[in-house]
Amino acid sequence: MRQPSKTASPIRLTVLGATGSVGQSTLDLIARTPDDFEIVALTAQCNADELATLAIRHRARVAVIGDDAHYQALKERLAGTGIIAMSGRDSLVAAAQIPVDCVMAAIVGVAGLAPTLAATQQGCRIALANKECLVSAGPMFMRAVRDHGATLLPVDSEHSGVLQALSAHSPDMLDKITITASGGPFRTWNVTRIAAANPEDALKHPNWVMGRKITIDSATLMNKGLELIEAQHLFGVTPDQLDVLVHPQSVIHALVSYKDGSVLAQMASPDMRTPIALALAWPQRMAAPTKPLDLAEIGALTFERPDETKFPALRIAKAAMRMGEGATTALNAANEVAVDAFLAKRLKFPHIAQIAEQTIESLLRGGSLKEPHNLETALALDQEARNQAQDHLAAL
Ligand code: NDP
């Protein structure tokens, strides 16, 4: 249990994406040691009712709803509470700029880029769940982190595992970073069965309960590809130093191999509150109410190589990582469009990877794949890729 000194001030925290899976897990942890944290701002996109409930429960100063259509509902729910209600994309950015010690970046998708980038500019600690920031605009985002003296801590369980296994070792002795994948709900399915999978099948993740977009990304293994790109930027390693291992039990989250032959693995029960707790309490630790890891009960840990024929999204994401120069921006945008379309039953499961690949290829042919150097160029390329992805979708 973390033992803050009696005189230590509470950690001032803003949660971007408070109503989501990571946002709620974060607030669940905080509710257990409320004296250690002061909630400054909470944000959501549409869910005004839940946002208001959370803002009142955690005594937030500000609550921001991204979609203006839900502002009135938020304002009415917060009337008389003293909590300031705001709405719109600019207000999400403004919320991220309110001075705090830590911002939990848990918006889903590239929608999180502008607010998370704004948070880095105040030089605070960023607990980064929103991996799409690094996939869309990795070099530019990391430059902002460095330029403003922000501390970037991963919330993804695999990257949190890497961070812990990397501690106190000389970087030149690092050989390889391996992140694990559960393999998703279709690990044991054949190609024909996968081709007919519907959203209900894909949303049944074997080990984790998460938001809909990342759950589909886990089923295609695109999530693992996005995580490789995230790791490349977070840890400053080359694509050759990154690997994926399928590990269906989701107990080992990452392995770091050193040139002397040692391999350090980080283990924990699959519960996001463990990596979230580390990012919130860093460089200390705080207790998380997770199931203790009982290896005797689990019995066996198994490993397989990922099958990139069955799950081409991983191959496509790896190729985009090697290509760089805006290819990962396009990959992310096309994937977001395709996942939305799959959830709306407008395309079949294998089309998700196909749309991502076609979008990268068409932008490459058109000479549009240039590394984004600022927010505007990142969002412009993202939009161009979305348009292309919609064209490919229409042509299916
Ligand atoms: P959810 O879909 O559960 O939650 C997303 C949050 O973002 C909600 O608060 C939602 O508000 C808000 N939001 C959605 N769209 C927008 C938008 N356009 N502008 C502003 N806010 C928006 O997602 P998760 O919590 O699962 O994932 C969040 C991020 O964390 C993702 O990048 C994911 O990859 C990453 N991550 C998630 C893990 C998990 O276990 N869930 C594990 C590791 C990483 P509203 O509720 O109103 O729609």
Side-chain angles (χ1 to χ4, degrees), residues 341-381:
F342 173 68
L343 284 169
K345 302 197 171 175
R346 288 171 50 219
L347 50 70
K348 292 193 187 311
F349 187 79
H351 291 143
I352 301 176
Q354 183 183 321
I355 298 272
E357 189 162 45
Q358 286 176 331
T359 301
I360 295 171
E361 281 169 0
S362 55
L363 288 174
L364 186 63
R365 273 197 306 276
S368 302
L369 288 186
K370 301 208 171 55
E371 186 66 58
H373 292 294
N374 54 35
L375 180 62
E376 289 66 37
T377 51
L379 295 181
L381 179 51

Side-chain angles (χ1 to χ4, degrees), residues 39-323:
I39 300 296
V40 174
L42 298 179
T43 82
Q45 177 65 2
C46 298
N47 197 344
D49 197 49
E50 182 64 15
L51 178 62
T53 302
L54 293 172
I56 293 165
R57 184 182 305 149
H58 295 278
R59 283 181 261 145
R61 270 198 265 149
V62 179
V64 182
I65 194 87
D67 185 341
D68 292 319
H70 300 278
Y71 174 65
Q72 198 54 33
L74 180 67
K75 207 172 145 208
E76 280 166 20
R77 278 289 318 275
L78 294 179
T81 62
I83 300 167
I84 299 167
M86 304 198 303
S87 77
R89 288 158 73 122
D90 291 348
S91 297
L92 291 173
V93 170
Q97 287 168 327
I98 303 172
V100 286
D101 302 301
C102 179
V103 171
M104 166 58 71
I107 290 175
V108 60
V110 81
L113 180 58
T116 309
L117 196 62
T120 66
Q121 287 159 0
Q122 57 162 300
C124 65
R125 186 194 320 161
I126 309 291
L128 187 77
N130 184 200
K131 67 192 84 182
E132 293 91 344
C133 284
L134 287 177
V135 178
S136 265
M140 181 271 279
F141 190 88
M142 292 307 292
R143 211 164 35 248
V145 168
R146 278 192 301 275
D147 290 352
H148 297 283
T151 304
L152 188 61
L153 292 170
V155 166
D156 244 322
S157 56
E158 297 79 359
H159 304 73
S160 179
V162 173
L163 179 74
Q164 294 172 73
L166 270 178
S167 311
H169 290 278
S170 41
D172 57 330
M173 283 294 109
L174 173 72
D175 183 28
K176 199 170 75 171
I177 288 175
T178 304
I179 57 175
T180 60
S182 69
F186 304 147
R187 181 177 64 88
T188 57
W189 290 29
N190 64 30
V191 178
T192 316
R193 199 170 161 212
I194 292 174
N198 59 36
E200 292 73 31
D201 298 322
L203 286 169
K204 280 186 205 136
H205 195 282
N207 301 343
W208 300 93
V209 179
M210 308 180 286
R212 285 157 66 85
K213 193 257 180 184
I214 187 177
T215 306
I216 302 299
D217 287 347
S218 300
T220 55
L221 288 205
M222 181 65 86
N223 184 49
K224 229 24 73 175
L226 303 182
E227 287 179 2
L228 288 176
I229 298 161
E230 180 185 10
Q232 180 194 21
H233 297 299
L234 276 175
F235 304 114
V237 291
T238 63
D240 288 337
Q241 288 178 295
L242 289 166
D243 207 356
V244 172
L245 189 61
V246 174
H247 166 46
Q249 297 80 22
S250 296
V251 166
I252 294 181
H253 302 285
L255 304 111
V256 178
S257 311
Y258 293 92
K259 289 181 181 163
D260 62 1
S262 258
V263 180
L264 299 192
Q266 187 267 344
M267 295 195 248
S269 297
D271 186 325
M272 281 307 292
R273 290 175 298 182
T274 294
I276 292 171
L278 187 73
L280 291 178
W282 183 267
Q284 302 180 50
R285 286 186 184 264
M286 63 186 277
T290 59
K291 185 171 186 276
L293 187 59
D294 184 340
L295 290 175
E297 183 189 305
I298 294 165
L301 299 181
T302 60
F303 306 95
E304 301 160 18
R305 288 191 206 294
D307 183 340
E308 293 183 9
T309 310
K310 244 163 69 170
F311 300 103
L314 180 58
R315 169 185 59 73
I316 295 160
K318 282 182 176 174
M321 171 169 67
R322 287 186 186 279
M323 214 183 284

